[in-house]
Amino acid sequence: MNDYTHYTDHTHYPDYTAYETGAPIADTKAPEGPIAERWDRRRFEAKLVNPANRRKYTVIVVGTGLAGGAAGATLAEQGYHVEQFCYQDSPRRAHSIAAQGGINAAKNYRNDGDSVHRLFYDTVKGGDFRAREAGVHRLAQISVEIIDQCVAQGVPFAREYGGLLDTRSFGGVQVSRTFYARGQTGQQLLLGAYQALSRQIAAGTVTMHARTEMLDLIVVDGRARGIVARDLITGEISSHFADAVVLASGGYGNVFYLSTNAMNSNATAIWRAHRRGAYFANPCFTQIHPTCIPRTGDHQSKLTLMSESLRNDGRIWVPAAKGDDRPPNEIPEDERDYYLERIYPSFGNLVPRDIASRAAKNVCDEGRGVGPGGQGVYLDFADAIRRMGRKEVEEKYGNLFDMYERITAENPYEVPMRIYPAVHYTMGGLWVDYDLQTTVPGLFAIGEANFSDHGANRLGASALMQGLADGYFVLPSTISDYLARNPHPTSVDASHPAVTQVLAETEDRLRQLLAVDGDRTPDSFHRELGEVMWEFCGMARTDAGLRKALDRIPQIRAEFWRRIKVPGTGKEFNQSLEKANRIVDYLELAELMCLDALHRAESCGGHFREESQTPDGEAARHDEEFSYAAAWEFTGTGKAPALHKEDLVFEYVHPTQRSYA
Amino acid sequence: MKLKLRVWRQRNTDAPGAMATYEVDGISQDMSFLEMLDTLNEELILRGEDPVAFDHDCREGICGACSLVINGDAHGPERTTTCQLHMRSFKDGDSIDVEPWRAAAFPVVKDLVVDRSAFDRIIQAGGYITAPTGAAPDAHATPVAKPDADFAFEHAECIGCGACVAACPNGSAMLFTSAKVNHLNVLPQGAPERETRVLDMVATMDAEGFGGCTLAGECATACPKGIPLPSISAMNKEWLRATRKVRR
Amino acid sequence: MEMSRIMSWTSGYLRFSVPRMALATRTDRKPPPTRTFWGSTVGKKTVMAVSGLIMLGYLVAHVMGNLKVFFGPEEFNAYGHWLRTMGGPVLHYEWALWIVRVVLVAAVVGHAVSAYQLSRRDLKARPTPYAHKRRRASYATRTMRWGGIIVALFIVWHLLDLTTLTVNENAQPGHPYENVVATFSTWYGNVIYIVAMLAVGLHIQHGFFSAAQTLGMGNATRDRALKALAGVLALLLTAGFVSVPVAVMTGVVS
């Protein structure tokens, strides 16, 4: 049964930081040979399921974003029966929809020197050498097919007058390989996947369960065989069975409370899977996006991203003097500090996301930040308007400027925008092998839910690429190998002891949440946790800070189980209960994130440890010690997890210290 | 700011509902409308009352989940989604009425939450291009004239929030349906299914119990994404063309 | 056929005998066009649009005839007589008129039945009103239903008054000019007629624009012109029709 009641007293816990290092883990599925041939080889070596037999297999897919929607549609097209789940009222609302900028593909339509190998190289280097070469190379190869697929589906990418696709350069990359649909690329790609999924729902090959949230994983005889889910309208808890389970439930950025994730994006599916045996890899790798709209007060419920493309023409600055609170237009040119241009003269405002974010934090920490609470820097278009004319600026960025004005009531054509970094994406996730299978046989993780291709830092316009690559192309090819090698497993139903146990635990958990009847709201705990995480596990981390966080989190958790108040019952539409249950998992995941951040005593990508920096303040990796993916095994509630290291070998892209100066 | 709220409360689809009155204080101009409701809900929870249920997710105006009728306007007084409506659009002491989308095809689930699955079924009837994964030719194999691509994009922007239905005096889904029909029918990739698409989607729209269009224009006024009213006419044209055209 | 296109596109894919269902999600059977038409809101709206335009065309002819009243009884009565002989000698006496009447009756019936069915459907689609009331749409749009009913009732009276002469106390068969003057010499005749013509004007203002949209004529650039045209048509027709009772009242026509 559950042991949450034990949480109410945090003092009884063993030292969470006293983790043990278990056996190393290896990706056994990645084939040998020249890197460009590995994907072909794997597809050839993988066993296939006879087309006539496919309808006998059921696959559960959790989530309907780019990865989940694409996977569900494609598996159904191949003949499998798919049971698909999403917590939203419609599969069309998954948070992939909010991605603005674009999607990378090594099409080289511009003839500007791009290639599969260059995209592969850029991604490995951008990820600060903490991703697997084989996986990243496959991603670059597939990127080309994704664009073809999306165009065939009717995705209205931007086009030029000749009728061909337009591309732009994005995120400081030197080639124009980013395809886009104005500022709504994610929306358009998601609708493409949603439409493909809708076609299969109409055909009866996909059974869609909307407003149904996965609350636990069913593992029978060591294999993933189904999920326990709650109907969010009736509150009914039910079990669903399948031959394989695919998690496409997105990232866990909402641990930080304030992030650019959707309000209901959550970590429950992956965290429950982790508790049932799936290793969680690199949980501390989170991406902080530099260009978000700063918060305006304590009421703030989420943060809104402004596309990174703004940095192409906007100039970032703060007042040179501390505490200069004159209106920006009254600060003369020589009293401004264009700090990115000053520190990184060759890349200027276009340095990678992690560097831009950290620099903003540093100037704000120096007391030179602007706006409420000094948590902001200026992104100024005055020069761009002088140079290009207001009309051209309007054409290029009009919709972003409008969005900014709607939220802040300030006109960015006249006053510089204020921006501040915010949690945006999580590179970590469930550990998967080359087949995207987790350490639980039959459990697969795709898209942001897995840890795969971005290493310690994701490049702009690569999340959409990875989600769709996993969903449309990788998983549908690799899952057949698992299904073919594990034909017709014993049937399970709701009376199986393994199932009744999971069901009982789930119901018990919700019952306990309702029973506490304390005096604090779910949001108050979420906000408190978020503040601790942002402070100690955010843009810059220290040994001491992380230890403080690891001390605080169990206290918050104890407080939570003593004082949480969830009104209503579990047998009805109850948004407070949904929220509280997600916070239960954040309170555990946060601890693992801090532990991972603590153990990785190096700086790499989005993970910046203040103890590990170069003399000029840049991130310093320690490859001899940390060139591995950290896969954590759950060992019991509140117990220190076990660390399994997967060594990263670089044969094609040799690790160098990133330098953008 | 201090505000008086009148909010539609309804336990579930079958229960009767009514407007309930609440007062909220300490509302900042910078809050979004949903953050104002968050504030109310925090108070309700601590008082042991059932918080107001409402749909919301991305809170940046793109997912289409939020769906409130505020003082009689779908998404409130500004042309945006509810989540992007800020309290600076209201004055201290204002009285604000908050209701769910009203349409027979959108039954109330609880309080301000409605069931919009009818929209999904309209898309399932034909709002897609049959392009199984892996079957696609090179993306540049078929150029698309820029005006057509722009027209497609303009209609593809629909977020499926249902404000058009909520605002329409007839509870009609013509603007939603036309947005998807026009997006796909103008593209060369959508041409093979052009006729069946519009016929099937319109038939499903009717079967779901949406009303007909009387060109009141309320839908286009309420649409946060600015899908234009002539979209409906463009779909009618497609529909008439499809009824005439027989494919062999 | 559509399927063959998909197959040529995906030939590699279909080489296996995978369940076809996943691909062939659309049905081949197509209901007869009449059922597609009458069974659909868009089809019924098309019926309304076409019948409405027929009636509008009739009204244009009608108002031109009415204005002949300003050229004196002889010309007006001669025109009345011509209506019965038009189409001759190919067509027999009054045949053309009867053809017009049959077409008009069909248009009225089609218009009314569609309007009734669509209205019922529309009301059913919005069963619960908003507690916060606010004025929606333009006056012309909101008055389409009642305006239509007023116009329908008017047509009945108008036929009894000037065609069958049943309710026109001083009527003389074969003397339309005198009958018109007789009708507009009573206060209620003027009131009924003028109110009905204002209703017709409003109905046309929204109806013409609406019909154009239903028939697929609308687009972003053309809609302005269509709206303006609808307004001009409505104004000219209403002014033309109303000018007759006004002329009788002021003694210009007597």
Side-chain angles (χ1 to χ4, degrees), chain C residues 31-54:
Chain C
T34 43
R35 212 171 79 208
T36 308
F37 231 88
W38 193 244
S40 156
T41 51
V42 180
K44 285 202 171 88
K45 283 286 289 183
T46 308
V47 171
M48 287 197 73
V50 171
S51 56
L53 289 176
I54 289 170

Short mmCIF file of all heavy atoms in Angstrom, two decimals, chain C residues 31-54:
data_model
loop_
_atom_site.label_atom_id
_atom_site.label_comp_id
_atom_site.label_asym_id
_atom_site.label_seq_id
_atom_site.Cartn_x
_atom_site.Cartn_y
_atom_site.Cartn_z
N PRO C 31 -25.13 9.95 -51.10
CA PRO C 31 -26.59 10.03 -51.17
C PRO C 31 -27.01 10.81 -52.40
O PRO C 31 -26.23 11.61 -52.92
CB PRO C 31 -26.97 10.75 -49.88
CG PRO C 31 -25.76 11.47 -49.44
CD PRO C 31 -24.59 10.70 -49.97
N PRO C 32 -28.26 10.60 -52.87
CA PRO C 32 -28.71 11.37 -54.03
C PRO C 32 -28.63 12.86 -53.74
O PRO C 32 -28.85 13.27 -52.60
CB PRO C 32 -30.15 10.91 -54.23
CG PRO C 32 -30.54 10.21 -52.98
CD PRO C 32 -29.29 9.70 -52.37
N PRO C 33 -28.30 13.66 -54.77
CA PRO C 33 -28.09 15.09 -54.54
C PRO C 33 -29.28 15.78 -53.89
O PRO C 33 -29.10 16.70 -53.10
CB PRO C 33 -27.82 15.64 -55.94
CG PRO C 33 -27.79 14.50 -56.87
CD PRO C 33 -28.05 13.24 -56.13
N THR C 34 -30.49 15.33 -54.23
CA THR C 34 -31.66 16.01 -53.64
C THR C 34 -31.65 15.85 -52.13
O THR C 34 -31.95 16.77 -51.39
CB THR C 34 -32.97 15.40 -54.18
OG1 THR C 34 -32.83 13.99 -54.20
CG2 THR C 34 -33.28 15.92 -55.56
N ARG C 35 -31.26 14.64 -51.68
CA ARG C 35 -31.26 14.42 -50.23
C ARG C 35 -30.13 15.21 -49.58
O ARG C 35 -30.29 15.78 -48.52
CB ARG C 35 -31.15 12.93 -49.92
CG ARG C 35 -31.89 12.62 -48.63
CD ARG C 35 -32.00 11.15 -48.39
NE ARG C 35 -30.76 10.62 -47.86
CZ ARG C 35 -30.35 9.37 -48.05
NH1 ARG C 35 -31.09 8.54 -48.76
NH2 ARG C 35 -29.23 8.96 -47.54
N THR C 36 -28.97 15.19 -50.23
CA THR C 36 -27.86 16.00 -49.72
C THR C 36 -28.32 17.43 -49.56
O THR C 36 -28.06 18.09 -48.56
CB THR C 36 -26.69 15.97 -50.71
OG1 THR C 36 -26.39 14.62 -51.01
CG2 THR C 36 -25.46 16.65 -50.15
N PHE C 37 -29.05 17.89 -50.55
CA PHE C 37 -29.46 19.27 -50.57
C PHE C 37 -30.47 19.59 -49.49
O PHE C 37 -30.26 20.43 -48.63
CB PHE C 37 -30.06 19.59 -51.95
CG PHE C 37 -29.47 20.79 -52.55
CD1 PHE C 37 -28.32 20.68 -53.32
CD2 PHE C 37 -30.02 22.04 -52.32
CE1 PHE C 37 -27.75 21.81 -53.85
CE2 PHE C 37 -29.45 23.17 -52.86
CZ PHE C 37 -28.31 23.06 -53.63
N TRP C 38 -31.59 18.88 -49.54
CA TRP C 38 -32.68 19.22 -48.63
C TRP C 38 -32.35 18.79 -47.19
O TRP C 38 -32.89 19.31 -46.24
CB TRP C 38 -33.98 18.58 -49.13
CG TRP C 38 -35.16 19.13 -48.42
CD1 TRP C 38 -36.02 18.46 -47.61
CD2 TRP C 38 -35.62 20.50 -48.41
NE1 TRP C 38 -36.96 19.30 -47.11
CE2 TRP C 38 -36.75 20.58 -47.57
CE3 TRP C 38 -35.16 21.68 -49.02
CZ2 TRP C 38 -37.45 21.76 -47.33
CZ3 TRP C 38 -35.86 22.86 -48.77
CH2 TRP C 38 -36.98 22.89 -47.94
N GLY C 39 -31.44 17.83 -47.04
CA GLY C 39 -31.11 17.35 -45.72
C GLY C 39 -30.11 18.23 -45.00
O GLY C 39 -29.80 17.99 -43.84
N SER C 40 -29.59 19.22 -45.67
CA SER C 40 -28.49 20.00 -45.08
C SER C 40 -28.92 21.43 -44.82
O SER C 40 -29.72 22.01 -45.56
CB SER C 40 -27.32 19.97 -46.06
OG SER C 40 -26.50 21.08 -45.85
N THR C 41 -28.38 22.00 -43.77
CA THR C 41 -28.68 23.42 -43.51
C THR C 41 -28.17 24.28 -44.65
O THR C 41 -28.82 25.25 -45.03
CB THR C 41 -28.00 23.90 -42.21
OG1 THR C 41 -26.62 23.54 -42.25
CG2 THR C 41 -28.64 23.27 -40.99
N VAL C 42 -27.03 23.90 -45.20
CA VAL C 42 -26.49 24.70 -46.30
C VAL C 42 -27.39 24.58 -47.53
O VAL C 42 -27.65 25.57 -48.23
CB VAL C 42 -25.04 24.27 -46.62
CG1 VAL C 42 -24.48 25.09 -47.76
CG2 VAL C 42 -24.15 24.40 -45.39
N GLY C 43 -27.92 23.38 -47.76
CA GLY C 43 -28.83 23.18 -48.89
C GLY C 43 -30.11 23.99 -48.72
O GLY C 43 -30.56 24.66 -49.65
N LYS C 44 -30.65 23.94 -47.54
CA LYS C 44 -31.89 24.69 -47.29
C LYS C 44 -31.65 26.19 -47.43
O LYS C 44 -32.50 26.94 -47.94
CB LYS C 44 -32.42 24.38 -45.89
CG LYS C 44 -33.08 23.00 -45.79
CD LYS C 44 -34.03 22.95 -44.61
CE LYS C 44 -34.84 21.67 -44.64
NZ LYS C 44 -34.21 20.55 -43.97
N LYS C 45 -30.48 26.61 -46.95
CA LYS C 45 -30.14 28.03 -47.12
C LYS C 45 -30.03 28.38 -48.60
O LYS C 45 -30.39 29.47 -49.02
CB LYS C 45 -28.80 28.34 -46.44
CG LYS C 45 -28.87 28.44 -44.94
CD LYS C 45 -29.53 29.72 -44.48
CE LYS C 45 -28.65 30.92 -44.73
NZ LYS C 45 -29.28 32.14 -44.20
N THR C 46 -29.55 27.42 -49.38
CA THR C 46 -29.44 27.67 -50.82
C THR C 46 -30.84 27.84 -51.43
O THR C 46 -31.06 28.71 -52.27
CB THR C 46 -28.70 26.51 -51.49
OG1 THR C 46 -27.48 26.30 -50.81
CG2 THR C 46 -28.43 26.81 -52.95
N VAL C 47 -31.76 26.98 -50.97
CA VAL C 47 -33.14 27.12 -51.44
C VAL C 47 -33.66 28.51 -51.08
O VAL C 47 -34.28 29.20 -51.90
CB VAL C 47 -34.03 26.02 -50.81
CG1 VAL C 47 -35.50 26.29 -51.11
CG2 VAL C 47 -33.61 24.66 -51.32
N MET C 48 -33.37 28.94 -49.86
CA MET C 48 -33.82 30.27 -49.44
C MET C 48 -33.19 31.36 -50.30
O MET C 48 -33.84 32.32 -50.68
CB MET C 48 -33.46 30.51 -47.97
CG MET C 48 -34.32 29.73 -47.04
SD MET C 48 -34.23 30.39 -45.37
CE MET C 48 -35.19 31.87 -45.54
N ALA C 49 -31.91 31.19 -50.57
CA ALA C 49 -31.19 32.21 -51.33
C ALA C 49 -31.76 32.31 -52.75
O ALA C 49 -32.08 33.41 -53.23
CB ALA C 49 -29.71 31.89 -51.37
N VAL C 50 -31.93 31.16 -53.40
CA VAL C 50 -32.39 31.18 -54.79
C VAL C 50 -33.83 31.70 -54.84
O VAL C 50 -34.16 32.58 -55.65
CB VAL C 50 -32.26 29.77 -55.40
CG1 VAL C 50 -32.94 29.72 -56.76
CG2 VAL C 50 -30.80 29.37 -55.52
N SER C 51 -34.69 31.18 -53.96
CA SER C 51 -36.08 31.64 -53.99
C SER C 51 -36.15 33.12 -53.63
O SER C 51 -36.93 33.88 -54.22
CB SER C 51 -36.93 30.80 -53.04
OG SER C 51 -36.40 30.85 -51.73
N GLY C 52 -35.31 33.54 -52.72
CA GLY C 52 -35.29 34.95 -52.34
C GLY C 52 -34.88 35.82 -53.50
O GLY C 52 -35.48 36.87 -53.75
N LEU C 53 -33.88 35.37 -54.25
CA LEU C 53 -33.43 36.17 -55.39
C LEU C 53 -34.51 36.22 -56.48
O LEU C 53 -34.68 37.24 -57.15
CB LEU C 53 -32.12 35.61 -55.94
CG LEU C 53 -30.90 35.84 -55.04
CD1 LEU C 53 -29.66 35.17 -55.62
CD2 LEU C 53 -30.64 37.33 -54.83
N ILE C 54 -35.23 35.11 -56.64
CA ILE C 54 -36.34 35.11 -57.62
C ILE C 54 -37.36 36.17 -57.22
O ILE C 54 -37.80 37.00 -58.03
CB ILE C 54 -37.00 33.72 -57.69
CG1 ILE C 54 -36.05 32.73 -58.36
CG2 ILE C 54 -38.34 33.78 -58.43
CD1 ILE C 54 -36.49 31.29 -58.28
#
